Amino acid sequence: MERVVALVDMDCFYVQVEQRLNPALKGTPCAVVQYNPWKGGGIIAVSYEARAHGVTRQMRGDDARAKCPQINLVRVPQVRGKADLTKYREGGAEVIEVLSRFSDCVERASVDEAYIDLTVEVETRLAALGGAKVTEASLPNTHVAGHDREKDGKTLSDWLETTFNEATLEMHDRRLAVGAVIAEEMRQAVYEDTGFRCSAGIAHNKMLAKLACGFHKPNKQTILPHSQVPQLFKSLPIRKIRNLGGKMGTLVSEHLRVENMADLLVFSERALQQLLGEKNGSWLYSVCRGFDSEPVSARQLPKSIGCSKNFTGKNCLNTRDKVKFWLSELAKEVEERLIKDKHN
Ligand code: TTP
């Protein structure tokens, strides 16, 4: 609970990339299709306006049009008979660049998602705050899990009040509040610099940050304090947790006859290890208690690949043939590295 981790996820990302290219699509029911002649191709991204009409991913283009006749369908471009995702990848890279201004530790998790370890920046800002409090004014698009006015009778403002009360000695929630202020700034910077809207989750680890991000979308962010985990996990299906959406989650649910995360609390670490092996068993034992030690690994694509060689003194390139030879050698090295990088 010493760390502060944010997960930023772009809203209906491929749609936003297309809307930026063609602003007439903004604010309209719109979807991106990977075209093939069968029923208008498969939908891979849906604007929130189209979702309101019941359009979902995986529908065929024709079915989407039947649900929402005014929908704008944009096709993914094709190059050499294959989907060309370059513009989406490049859009994602633009976002990573903006996020990297806020932390040295940014992990690009997918084309439109990144984890950011904000721990260092949070500590700096907490120190700068002195005794001052974080207020609602600096969290205009923020929710806190378990603090929904209608459902829980409590609000973000109540949470901030308790968190920054002088009698509150625990610093965990204060860290999250400051992390959320930084996340608001990051999301604003992403919007200003790229035109893209995104959502975020703020928590003490990657698993909780990812979970929280999905609670309020689009263009919103959610803090998930550790103290909310027990209540939340009582009714949270196991498949909703990162890494438990597939085979491992099904194995756990079926073998242990459990449905929700909190149902796992009765099992010993040994029992979970017997089912899943040592590593995954221990991981699940921690995760169902709201802990996840996986670090955010600063992993971003290099900005450029190049190679060079100094030709000093008697090694200077004094003939056309020498220049040609060395240019060719350096070019081969760059080629090899580019190919290797592509496969990494
Ligand atoms: P997601 O982040 O899963 O979804 P999204 O950004 O479209 O919508 P949301 O606001 O709910 O997060 O996926 C990111 C992009 O990846 C999406 O815009 C299109 C692409 N994608 C596919 O091409 N195929 C798929 O099966 C999925 C899940 C996504």
Side-chain angles (χ1 to χ4, degrees):
M1 302 221 292
E2 300 308 312
R3 292 185 298 153
V4 177
V5 175
L7 181 272
V8 165
D9 181 28
M10 307 311 293
D11 302 324
C12 56
F13 187 50
Y14 285 16
V15 168
Q16 285 203 80
V17 171
E18 296 298 345
Q19 288 173 329
R20 190 174 71 168
L21 286 167
N22 177 6
L25 296 173
K26 282 188 185 167
T28 71
C30 174
V32 175
V33 274
Q34 201 144 352
Y35 184 75
N36 61 42
W38 185 56
K39 294 176 82 182
I43 290 191
I44 54 174
V46 187
S47 76
Y48 281 78
E49 291 81 359
R51 291 181 202 196
H53 287 88
V55 178
T56 61
R57 189 167 15 230
Q58 259 122 38
M59 265 183 188
R60 310 304 303 179
D62 293 352
D63 300 333
R65 215 177 271 292
K67 279 241 176 235
C68 176
Q70 71 274 40
I71 196 167
N72 291 302
L73 297 176
V74 186
R75 288 185 192 178
V76 174
Q78 298 224 330
V79 169
R80 284 174 242 103
K82 176 174 170 304
D84 177 17
L85 304 178
T86 311
K87 60 182 159 181
Y88 311 117
R89 267 199 299 269
E90 288 177 355
E94 281 178 50
V95 173
I96 297 288
E97 260 195 55
V98 177
L99 298 176
S100 302
R101 278 190 236 139
F102 292 83
S103 167
D104 291 336
C105 194
V106 176
E107 177 180 332
R108 190 174 187 178
S110 77
V111 68
D112 79 328
E113 242 182 24
Y115 290 97
I116 306 104
D117 191 320
L118 294 173
T119 313
V120 175
E121 182 63 18
V122 163
E123 288 305 326
T124 309
R125 295 222 192 175
L126 261 180
L129 263 181
K133 297 174 179 178
V134 167
T135 63
E136 251 187 309
S138 47
L139 296 171
N141 289 300
T142 302
H143 296 256
V144 187
H147 291 71
D148 187 332
R149 188 191 296 274
E150 274 96 65
K151 216 169 68 197
D152 312 301
K154 290 182 284 183
T155 62
L156 167 69
S157 170
D158 297 329
W159 181 76
L160 287 171
E161 193 58 46
T162 316
T163 300
F164 286 90
N165 187 310
E166 274 159 29
T168 308
L169 295 174
E170 289 287 3
M171 293 297 283
H172 308 310
D173 284 0
R174 286 193 196 186
R175 288 200 189 93
L176 294 184
V178 174
V181 172
I182 302 170
E184 289 267 13
E185 291 171 14
M186 286 197 299
R187 292 175 40 253
Q188 185 59 28
V190 166
Y191 181 63
E192 279 164 17
D193 287 25
T194 69
F196 297 141
R197 292 289 192 192
C198 59
S199 300
I202 302 103
H204 293 299
N205 57 55
K206 288 166 86 170
M207 179 265 301
L208 293 179
K210 167 90 181 163
L211 179 66
C213 181
F215 290 169
H216 296 278
K217 273 187 139 254
N219 194 26
K220 299 271 183 315
Q221 59 179 47
T222 308
I223 301 170
L224 177 43
H226 193 265
S227 56
Q228 294 297 320
V229 169
Q231 181 63 24
L232 182 66
F233 278 14
K234 274 187 200 164
S235 58
L236 188 82
I238 284 171
R239 63 169 188 287
K240 298 276 183 189
I241 294 287
R242 172 173 174 255
N243 297 331
L244 289 173
K247 273 190 198 156
M248 180 154 51
T250 310
L251 178 77
V252 169
S253 299
E254 287 178 359
H255 266 255
L256 304 176
R257 297 173 192 230
V258 288
E259 195 183 329
N260 296 319
M261 284 304 284
D263 302 340
L264 292 166
L265 292 171
V266 297
F267 297 98
S268 68
E269 189 168 2
R270 279 267 322 263
L272 297 177
Q273 285 175 329
Q274 271 162 6
L275 179 67
L276 300 172
E278 202 176 316
K279 195 167 146 248
N280 288 339
S282 293
W283 172 78
L284 190 60
Y285 184 80
S286 299
V287 158
C288 69
R289 289 165 174 78
F291 297 108
D292 167 32
S293 59
E294 188 185 309
V296 176
S297 57
R299 182 163 46 79
Q300 295 162 45
L301 297 176
K303 285 211 180 96
S304 64
I305 289 178
C307 69
S308 65
K309 180 174 163 66
N310 291 334
F311 301 96
T312 51
K314 65 178 169 34
N315 293 324
C316 77
L317 301 184
N318 50 7
T319 68
R320 196 175 278 267
D321 280 347
K322 279 187 198 166
V323 171
K324 271 191 178 166
F325 173 77
W326 280 108
L327 262 182
S328 161
E329 290 301 297
L330 293 177
K332 277 186 216 155
E333 186 182 326
V334 171
E335 182 192 29
E336 274 166 26
R337 285 172 53 188
L338 284 171
I339 290 168
K340 187 157 166 253
D341 183 66
K342 192 171 159 232
H343 293 296
N344 276 342

